[in-house]
């Protein structure tokens, strides 16, 4: 590594240092109105990432012990307010912390806080301040960096910086390892880590080593794990990143002021590329302008919509291991270093062209999409002619396809309804698979994105693991499920969760698990159970396939008939296959005792083999002697009101919400689960994980 004060690293540090120092803040107790502003011990550091928003570590705002509430806590922020080094102090309020469970479960004293260990603070007064430039890359390069924070080397608090190198990543990329070239002071926690080669913030200082220099930082990409937005709302991450990009865009195009901006400094950073690479990449000014124009548009409909445009522009499926892209700028970050030596600039211009003709979640501001296309066309003038021609054709085709989609949608839904009320969203769903591990009470698991009818058979893995206990599945799956939901949820609907497990696990209380906040999964979204792929099918049995298809079609059309499949007025029974075969095709078999050991295999497997794709089961009630009549009576009324099968997953979600809200008329549905074998959503049939790795 070049010495910290010589060569290209030294020049980059000199250029970036004043910009980073201007945006880095000291975090301390909130001023009480009597003490001079800015006094009191330093808790740590932070930095402005957008107007009015400070990013720091959760353990910094948690100063004071476990009794202190994090979210909503007010604290003091001392920041630089001008080029002459003067400072100001303002009050901030903690908007959220990551992970959210830190509010209930804090680490022991002197122990590391759980990753991501981030806090987002909202400033409570209008102030003028600088903001850092955040990376858009899903993974940082292991290169020279500088870290900044509040130190008291000379007896007074000040913001200083030191150089080192990223030595690797940890926790699946959530944490960055800082080299031991220098020491991290305690007050530097929460400060920014800056990539000196690219002039962008890649991390937040988290911890130092006890026996020497260096330590850990948190990747700023973990901001994408901010709490999910309610349906129809713009999430906090998208709002903050939109403000971030518009800030730097406004700074770049403004003629006021003579201080250099981040965009200006990017053009002055020492070159790390060959003489011909400039034509293959967008300039710093072009990147800033593109991010600003993208921020002027409404946010994307879903994460998968962004990934689809990235795949079309990049020429290959993006790395599935990267965090879900939640904004248009995140898509740009997935276009660096495209395959086959293709130009990065070309990929980004293709992507911007596709965004300009995309169907947005709401109408963009007048002229915003045309302005983006005009910029793409003007920027392509400095590149090769075949690309300019390609972009023009791509834009024309995109406009034509968008017009056809809109006309088709208007024909299908003349009154403006995007989908029938109560129907499931037809886009990607989250697939959770779990397999019993031999005779032990542990389970292998896998979380994936199942693309559904639009892309039959396409599955993208999110995460997997082995040997999780049944009681520990909820905690183990919290982070993988949250990431999968970020990929699949759209602005107007929460994605379906499909749980593919053996019928013995249909009593798994997935609907009660929590991933974000305190609202159970079964209240947030539709949850259905499915039989594992590749089981219970007779090869080349056309008659069974036709019977399964006929019964699915009849149930979807309705009306629905319910039939007690594993009890006779409260007494358990195992239905005979011949009896199941004689039931009408529009029957929904009902299991009130299916989670008990013996009837499980006989009834649920028998119902599946008889071709019934929709069935109802429930977990055993707390009182084993409780009468099942209220359950059957309530379900019969529900099936009658639903009239057909399509609304059942959403209606069951509404029932859970009513029970969660303490509606006594919905208590009968507690623990109820829906078996939903949709033939249009085929499951992957590869082998499960086996054993330890």
């Amino acid at each position: 590594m070049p010495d910290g004060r010589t060569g290209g690293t030294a020049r980059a540090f000199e250029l970036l240092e004043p910009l980073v120092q201007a945006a880095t803040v000291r975090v301390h107790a909130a001023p009480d109105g009597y003490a001079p502003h800015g006094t009191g011990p330093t808790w740590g550091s932070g930095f402005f990432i957008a107007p009015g928003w400070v990013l720091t570590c959760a353990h910094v705002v948690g100063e004071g012990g476990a009794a202190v509430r994090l979210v909503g806590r007010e604290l003091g922020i001392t920041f630089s307010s001008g080029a002459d080094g003067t400072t100001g102090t303002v009050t901030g309020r903690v908007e959220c912390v990551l992970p959210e469970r830190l509010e209930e479960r804090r680490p022991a004293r002197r122990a590391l806080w759980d990753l991501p260990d981030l806090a987002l603070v909202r400033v409570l007064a209008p102030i003028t301040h600088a903001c850092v430039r955040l990376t858009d890359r899903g993974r940082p390069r292991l290169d020279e960096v500088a870290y900044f924070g509040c130190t008291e080397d000379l007896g007074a608090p000040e913001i200083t910086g030191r150089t080192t190198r990223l030595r690797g990543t940890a926790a699946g990329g959530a944490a960055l390892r800082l080299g031991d070239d220098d020491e991290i002071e305690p007050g530097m926690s929460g400060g920014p880590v800056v990539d000196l080669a690219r002039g962008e913030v890649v991390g937040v200082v988290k911890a130092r080593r006890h026996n020497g220099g260096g330590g850990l930082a948190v990747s700023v990409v973990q901001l994408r794990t901010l709490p999910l937005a309610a349906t129809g709302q713009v999430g906090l991450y998208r709002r903050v990143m939109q403000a971030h990009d518009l800030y730097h865009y406004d700074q770049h195009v403004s003629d006021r002021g003579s201080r250099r901006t981040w965009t200006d400094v990017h053009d002055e950073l020492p070159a790390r590329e060959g003489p011909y690479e400039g034509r293959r990449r967008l300039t710093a000014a072009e990147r800033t302008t593109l991010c600003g124009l993208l921020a002027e548009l409404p946010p994307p409909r879903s994460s998968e919509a962004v990934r689809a445009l990235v795949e079309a522009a990049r020429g290959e499926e993006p790395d599935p291991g990267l965090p879900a892209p939640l904004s248009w700028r995140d898509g740009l970050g997935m276009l660096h270093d495209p395959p086959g030596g293709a130009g990065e600039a070309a990929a980004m211009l293709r992507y911007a062209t596709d965004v300009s003709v995309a169907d947005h979640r709401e109408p963009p501001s007048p002229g915003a999409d045309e302005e983006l296309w005009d910029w793409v066309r003007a920027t392509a003038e400095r590149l090769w002619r075949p690309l300019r021609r390609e972009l023009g054709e791509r834009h024309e085709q995109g406009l034509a396809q968008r017009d056809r989609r809109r006309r088709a949608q208007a024909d299908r839904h003349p009154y403006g309804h995007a989908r029938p009320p109560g129907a499931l969203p037809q886009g990607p769903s989250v697939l959770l698979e779990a397999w019993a591990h031999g005779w032990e009470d542990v389970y292998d698991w896998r979380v994936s994105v199942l693309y559904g009818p639009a892309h039959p058979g396409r599955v993208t893995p999110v995460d997997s693991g082995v040997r999780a206990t049944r009681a520990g599945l909820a905690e183990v799956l919290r982070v993988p499920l949250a990431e999968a939901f970020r990929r699949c949820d759209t602005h107007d609907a929460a994605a379906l969760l499909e749980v593919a497990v053996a019928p013995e696990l249909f009593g798994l209380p997935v609907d009660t698990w929590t991933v974000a906040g305190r609202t159970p999964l079964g209240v947030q979204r539709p949850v259905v159970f499915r039989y594992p792929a590749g089981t219970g099918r007779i090869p080349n049995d056309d008659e069974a396939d036709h019977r399964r298809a006929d019964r699915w079609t009849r149930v979807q059309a309705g009306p629905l008939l319910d039939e007690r499949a594993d009890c006779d007025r409260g007494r358990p029974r195992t239905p005979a296959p011949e009896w199941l075969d004689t039931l009408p095709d529009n029957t929904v078999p009902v299991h009130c005792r299916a989670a008990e050991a013996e009837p499980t295999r006989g009834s649920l497997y028998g119902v599946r083999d008889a071709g019934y794709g929709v069935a109802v089961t429930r977990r055993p009630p707390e009182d084993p002697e409780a009468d099942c009549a209220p359950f059957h009576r309530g379900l019969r009324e529900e099936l009658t009101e639903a009239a057909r099968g399509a609304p059942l997953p959403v209606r069951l979600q509404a029932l859970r919400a009513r029970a969660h809200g303490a509606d006594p008329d919905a208590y009968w549905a507690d623990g109820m689960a829906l078996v939903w074998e949709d033939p249009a959503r085929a499951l992957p049939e590869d082998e499960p994980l086996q054993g330890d790795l």
Side-chain angles (χ1 to χ4, degrees), residues 227-425:
L228 300 173
T231 300
Q233 297 181 4
V234 177
L236 182 58
Y237 172 80
R238 286 169 172 159
R239 284 198 291 124
V240 172
M241 296 313 300
Q242 181 186 42
H244 168 275
D245 287 334
L246 291 176
Y247 167 85
H248 287 287
Y249 178 53
D250 293 341
Q251 290 280 308
H252 172 59
V253 300
S254 175
D255 294 330
R256 301 179 61 184
S258 59
R259 298 184 64 183
R260 285 185 297 184
T261 67
W262 281 77
T263 305
D264 298 331
V265 169
H266 279 180
D267 283 328
E268 300 177 32
L269 292 176
R272 302 289 182 97
E273 54 194 21
Y276 299 104
E277 283 298 306
R279 286 175 56 86
R280 305 176 66 85
R281 303 181 189 276
L282 296 180
T283 65
E286 290 167 346
R287 290 275 308 282
T288 299
T289 302
L290 176 53
C291 287
L293 294 174
L294 291 174
E296 295 278 14
L297 296 173
R301 289 178 173 272
S302 67
S303 171
E304 284 304 316
V306 178
R307 288 178 62 89
L309 295 188
V310 168
E311 182 174 352
R314 187 179 173 90
E316 68 173 4
E317 183 180 1
D319 183 356
L322 293 176
L326 303 180
S327 66
W328 297 123
R329 82 182 306 267
D330 295 341
L332 284 181
M334 304 173 77
L335 293 170
H336 294 287
D337 306 318
E344 186 177 285
M348 290 187 174
L349 292 179
R350 293 187 187 103
Y351 173 76
T353 300
D354 292 346
V355 173
S356 72
V357 295
D359 286 315
H360 301 290
R361 55 177 292 173
E362 58 194 35
S365 301
D369 47 357
E370 290 89 349
E371 185 179 3
L372 175 60
W373 164 241
D374 290 342
W375 176 87
V376 170
R377 185 170 50 188
T379 304
E381 288 296 325
R382 73 173 179 84
L383 302 174
W384 48 98
R385 186 171 59 181
L387 176 63
R388 298 199 299 268
R389 184 170 57 250
E390 175 197 339
L391 294 176
E393 295 173 352
R394 196 182 193 99
H395 183 256
E396 292 179 2
Q397 293 172 0
L399 286 176
Q401 292 172 358
R402 184 175 68 181
D403 291 341
R404 285 196 295 269
R405 287 195 302 268
R406 290 177 176 177
R407 286 196 300 268
Q409 185 175 9
D411 292 340
R412 289 195 304 268
H413 311 291
Y415 302 105
H417 298 295
R419 58 190 173 96
L424 280 173

Side-chain angles (χ1 to χ4, degrees), residues 59-381:
H59 76 263
V60 170
V61 303
E63 182 76 16
V68 176
R69 179 169 175 79
L70 300 179
V71 177
R73 186 182 193 187
E74 293 189 357
L75 43 83
I77 296 170
T78 297
F79 64 100
S80 172
S81 59
D84 57 356
T86 58
T87 61
T89 298
V90 69
T91 300
R93 179 179 295 147
V94 180
E95 188 76 10
C96 66
V97 295
L98 297 173
E100 292 180 275
R101 63 179 179 273
L102 285 174
E103 198 65 79
E104 288 81 25
R105 191 178 68 189
R106 311 280 178 84
R109 183 174 176 80
R110 298 186 182 280
L112 283 176
W113 285 45
D114 293 346
L115 288 167
D117 187 16
L118 294 178
L120 199 57
V121 180
R122 181 164 54 91
V123 174
L124 300 183
I127 57 174
T128 300
H129 58 80
C131 297
V132 302
R133 181 69 173 265
L134 294 177
T135 184
D136 57 13
R137 294 173 181 264
R139 290 195 180 96
R141 295 290 186 86
L142 301 182
D143 216 331
E144 289 88 357
V145 297
Y147 55 93
F148 292 79
C150 185
T151 63
E152 299 187 22
D153 293 339
L154 300 180
E158 65 173 336
I159 304 300
T160 63
R162 302 165 186 186
T163 60
T164 186
R165 187 183 182 95
L166 293 184
R167 299 295 184 184
T169 62
L176 312 175
R177 299 188 184 277
L178 301 176
D180 58 359
D181 304 83
D182 210 333
E183 186 176 359
I184 299 175
E185 300 290 342
M188 302 182 87
S189 291
V193 178
V194 185
D195 182 336
L196 293 176
R198 295 159 190 85
E200 53 193 22
V201 172
V202 297
V204 185
V205 177
K206 171 176 170 62
R208 60 173 180 163
R209 296 189 181 91
H210 294 296
N211 56 354
L216 287 177
V218 182
S219 171
V220 295
V221 178
Q222 292 301 303
L223 280 172
R224 299 186 196 177
T225 65
L226 283 169
L228 300 173
T231 300
Q233 297 181 4
V234 177
L236 182 58
Y237 172 80
R238 286 169 172 159
R239 284 198 291 124
V240 172
M241 296 313 300
Q242 181 186 42
H244 168 275
D245 287 334
L246 291 176
Y247 167 85
H248 287 287
Y249 178 53
D250 293 341
Q251 290 280 308
H252 172 59
V253 300
S254 175
D255 294 330
R256 301 179 61 184
S258 59
R259 298 184 64 183
R260 285 185 297 184
T261 67
W262 281 77
T263 305
D264 298 331
V265 169
H266 279 180
D267 283 328
E268 300 177 32
L269 292 176
R272 302 289 182 97
E273 54 194 21
Y276 299 104
E277 283 298 306
R279 286 175 56 86
R280 305 176 66 85
R281 303 181 189 276
L282 296 180
T283 65
E286 290 167 346
R287 290 275 308 282
T288 299
T289 302
L290 176 53
C291 287
L293 294 174
L294 291 174
E296 295 278 14
L297 296 173
R301 289 178 173 272
S302 67
S303 171
E304 284 304 316
V306 178
R307 288 178 62 89
L309 295 188
V310 168
E311 182 174 352
R314 187 179 173 90
E316 68 173 4
E317 183 180 1
D319 183 356
L322 293 176
L326 303 180
S327 66
W328 297 123
R329 82 182 306 267
D330 295 341
L332 284 181
M334 304 173 77
L335 293 170
H336 294 287
D337 306 318
E344 186 177 285
M348 290 187 174
L349 292 179
R350 293 187 187 103
Y351 173 76
T353 300
D354 292 346
V355 173
S356 72
V357 295
D359 286 315
H360 301 290
R361 55 177 292 173
E362 58 194 35
S365 301
D369 47 357
E370 290 89 349
E371 185 179 3
L372 175 60
W373 164 241
D374 290 342
W375 176 87
V376 170
R377 185 170 50 188
T379 304
E381 288 296 325

Side-chain angles (χ1 to χ4, degrees), residues 591-608:
H591 306 76
C592 68
R593 311 177 62 89
E596 298 177 4
E598 290 304 322
T600 298
R601 300 193 65 86
S603 61
L604 284 172
Y605 278 103
V607 164
R608 177 205 58 192

Side-chain angles (χ1 to χ4, degrees), residues 349-649:
L349 292 179
R350 293 187 187 103
Y351 173 76
T353 300
D354 292 346
V355 173
S356 72
V357 295
D359 286 315
H360 301 290
R361 55 177 292 173
E362 58 194 35
S365 301
D369 47 357
E370 290 89 349
E371 185 179 3
L372 175 60
W373 164 241
D374 290 342
W375 176 87
V376 170
R377 185 170 50 188
T379 304
E381 288 296 325
R382 73 173 179 84
L383 302 174
W384 48 98
R385 186 171 59 181
L387 176 63
R388 298 199 299 268
R389 184 170 57 250
E390 175 197 339
L391 294 176
E393 295 173 352
R394 196 182 193 99
H395 183 256
E396 292 179 2
Q397 293 172 0
L399 286 176
Q401 292 172 358
R402 184 175 68 181
D403 291 341
R404 285 196 295 269
R405 287 195 302 268
R406 290 177 176 177
R407 286 196 300 268
Q409 185 175 9
D411 292 340
R412 289 195 304 268
H413 311 291
Y415 302 105
H417 298 295
R419 58 190 173 96
L424 280 173
Q426 295 303 303
S429 63
V430 176
L431 174 63
L432 167 60
E433 300 169 278
W435 304 274
H437 201 282
W439 297 104
E440 303 176 73
D441 190 22
V442 292
Y443 300 88
D444 299 343
W445 57 269
R446 178 171 58 193
V447 175
S448 311
V449 173
L450 184 64
Y451 285 82
H455 302 278
R458 182 174 177 180
V459 178
T460 299
V462 175
D463 202 355
S464 61
V466 295
R467 302 186 66 82
T469 65
R470 182 165 180 167
L473 276 173
E475 183 63 26
V476 169
L477 290 166
R478 181 192 295 264
V479 173
L481 286 176
E483 171 64 18
F485 294 145
R486 278 190 289 274
R487 295 188 184 188
C488 297
D489 287 348
T490 66
H491 75 282
D492 60 355
L496 171 71
L497 173 59
E498 303 187 67
V499 185
V501 292
E504 294 90 334
L505 292 178
F506 282 3
L508 203 64
V510 178
D511 57 292
T512 67
W513 295 353
T514 56
V515 169
R518 300 183 179 181
T519 306
L521 280 181
V523 175
Q524 291 181 338
R525 64 190 64 250
V527 178
V528 299
F529 282 87
R530 301 194 61 174
Y531 300 101
T535 59
R537 291 188 178 183
I538 303 174
N540 301 321
D541 189 345
D542 293 337
E543 182 180 352
D545 290 340
H546 286 309
R547 182 170 64 246
R548 186 178 295 107
D550 289 344
R551 286 179 170 165
W552 175 266
T553 301
R554 281 299 312 278
V555 166
Q556 298 309 304
L560 300 179
L561 302 176
D562 67 294
E563 185 66 53
R564 300 189 184 195
D566 65 347
C567 85
D568 181 11
R569 297 188 178 277
R571 294 187 297 273
R573 69 170 178 179
T574 299
E578 298 80 9
W579 177 76
L580 289 171
D581 285 336
T582 61
L583 296 177
D585 288 344
N586 56 332
T587 299
V588 177
V590 180
H591 306 76
C592 68
R593 311 177 62 89
E596 298 177 4
E598 290 304 322
T600 298
R601 300 193 65 86
S603 61
L604 284 172
Y605 278 103
V607 164
R608 177 205 58 192
D609 294 340
Y612 294 97
V614 179
V616 175
T617 181
R618 69 167 181 169
R619 293 188 294 274
E622 293 184 4
D623 180 6
E625 301 299 325
D627 188 4
C628 63
F631 169 71
H632 290 287
R633 188 180 302 113
L635 182 59
R636 173 166 293 180
E637 294 177 0
E638 187 70 18
L639 294 179
T640 301
E641 292 181 9
R644 55 195 182 88
L648 288 181

